[in-house]
Amino acid sequence: MFKIGMALTFAVIGAMIVLLAAIFGGARISTAFLRMFCTLLVTCAGVWIFLFILEARGVVDIDKKLRIIEDEEEAEVAEEAELTDEEFAVMAAEAEAEIKAEAAAVMAEEARAEGGAEAGEAAEGEEPEAQEPADEEGGFEPLAADDLQHMDTAEEEEETRAS
């Protein structure tokens, strides 16, 4: 329904522009209305086809309500209960809070492992309730300064060539 509405909106706008241009250009009224009608049909069809192609290629989802639920159990519950937008937003906020809590626990463990007394003490104050350890296969591994490839600027390159 949205595609048709958008196509008609653009078609009416285009038809009015063509009608005004024809009248101010000195064309007869019958010619102006014929041009307006042709513009209405062509623009309506063109916009509708354009939106249809965009939707078919997956660039946009116009006529569908799309809900992304990663957990299979949550997906089944959502399908059975047909959650409202507010309920779905609450579920998403709870999932996001769980992810943040797990990330804080991982950071606290890393700080303790590195032996950083200050970082460990600060993280202990913010440590969430008992969390399960993060999965090592898909875990996040921060970049170390030793692993990065450093590049010289043009000025540094000239200095090394001169010396």
Side-chain angles (χ1 to χ4, degrees):
M1 195 68 181
F2 178 78
K3 288 185 284 196
I4 294 171
M6 183 172 265
L8 286 173
T9 302
F10 278 99
V12 167
I13 292 170
M16 290 298 134
I17 291 171
V18 168
L19 179 67
L20 290 174
I23 290 174
F24 288 129
R28 284 185 261 154
I29 296 294
S30 60
T31 305
F33 278 111
L34 183 61
R35 289 179 184 174
M36 180 188 77
F37 182 70
C38 291
T39 303
L40 186 78
L41 291 178
V42 170
T43 306
C44 188
V47 170
W48 186 83
I49 290 171
F50 178 72
L51 292 173
F52 183 79
I53 290 171
L54 285 179
E55 189 174 16
R57 291 195 176 214
V59 177
V60 291
D61 271 334
I62 295 172
D63 291 334
K64 299 175 184 158
K65 273 192 171 179
L66 193 62
R67 294 183 180 161
I68 299 173
I69 303 173
E70 293 182 13
D71 190 19
E72 292 177 9
E73 294 174 9
E74 290 178 13
E76 291 174 6
V77 170
E79 288 176 2
E80 290 174 4
E82 291 185 10
L83 298 174
T84 64
D85 290 338
E86 293 83 20
E87 292 170 339
F88 184 74
V90 169
M91 284 179 58
E94 289 173 357
E96 187 175 321
E98 287 178 15
I99 291 171
K100 287 181 181 179
E102 289 177 10
V106 169
M107 290 175 60
E109 289 177 20
E110 288 177 0
R112 278 189 239 121
E114 290 176 3
E118 296 173 3
E121 292 173 5
E124 286 178 20
E126 299 174 313
E127 187 174 311
E129 302 167 17
Q131 295 289 328
E132 298 179 17
D135 186 15
E136 292 298 319
E137 290 179 12
F140 173 73
E141 212 172 288
L143 294 174
D146 299 334
D147 297 338
L148 297 176
Q149 180 181 2
H150 297 281
M151 299 182 70
D152 295 333
T153 61
E155 295 168 355
E156 292 174 350
E157 221 173 276
E158 290 176 10
E159 290 176 7
T160 55
R161 287 183 189 169
S163 52

